[in-house]
Amino acid sequence: MDLTIDTCVLPHDDPDASLAFYRDILGFEVRSDVGAGKMRWITVGPPGQPGTSILLAPPAVDPGVTDEERRTIAEMMAKGTYGWLMLATGDLDGTFEKVQAGAAEVVQEPIDQPYGVRDCAFRDPAGNLIRVKELR
């Protein structure tokens, strides 16, 4: 098999705030932005990596999701336990400073983990956990 990761999906509850975070703070390219209001599907990705994307999507819009499941998803998003993503950078301290200056909620400052990586963590505007590890 020859597989690649094309797109991962994270929920958003405020498309404009999510767009500002991923585009303006993280520096991702906007690849598409379709829909209107809170019903927008926004695809972003790192410059120079056209084969890897993040789809920021409204949560629980699938007709197969029950009302109870929608409530559970909303509760998990509010707690920051629904979606998460791990990114990597060669400049963890510089990335941390830029994201922190963008007023993102800091979950963890850069630290050497006992399992061998150095990383930090933030929450995006929807509450998704964004971990950033340093490439070594």
Side-chain angles (χ1 to χ4, degrees), residues 34-113:
V34 298
K38 289 193 173 227
M39 296 300 286
R40 282 169 59 195
W41 286 258
I42 303 165
T43 304
V44 297
Q49 297 180 43
T52 304
S53 298
I54 301 167
L55 173 61
L56 305 169
V61 296
D62 186 300
V65 176
T66 66
D67 288 340
E68 182 179 342
E69 291 167 334
R70 283 185 182 84
R71 282 190 295 277
T72 299
I73 290 168
E75 290 170 4
M76 291 178 72
M77 284 178 65
K79 291 182 355 185
T81 59
Y82 186 67
W84 69 280
L85 178 69
M86 181 170 282
L87 303 173
T89 181
D91 180 11
L92 185 65
D93 293 320
T95 299
F96 177 81
E97 289 174 14
K98 182 175 181 185
V99 176
Q100 184 179 35
E105 177 189 346
V106 175
V107 175
Q108 173 198 301
E109 294 187 6
I111 186 170
D112 289 316
Q113 299 288 2

Side-chain angles (χ1 to χ4, degrees), residues 8-44:
C8 68
V9 180
L10 289 176
H12 72 68
D13 53 8
D14 182 339
D16 291 324
S18 291
L19 181 60
F21 178 79
Y22 286 92
R23 180 193 59 210
D24 302 338
I25 296 173
L26 295 184
F28 287 167
E29 300 173 329
V30 177
R31 304 215 172 120
S32 69
D33 185 346
V34 298
K38 289 193 173 227
M39 296 300 286
R40 282 169 59 195
W41 286 258
I42 303 165
T43 304
V44 297

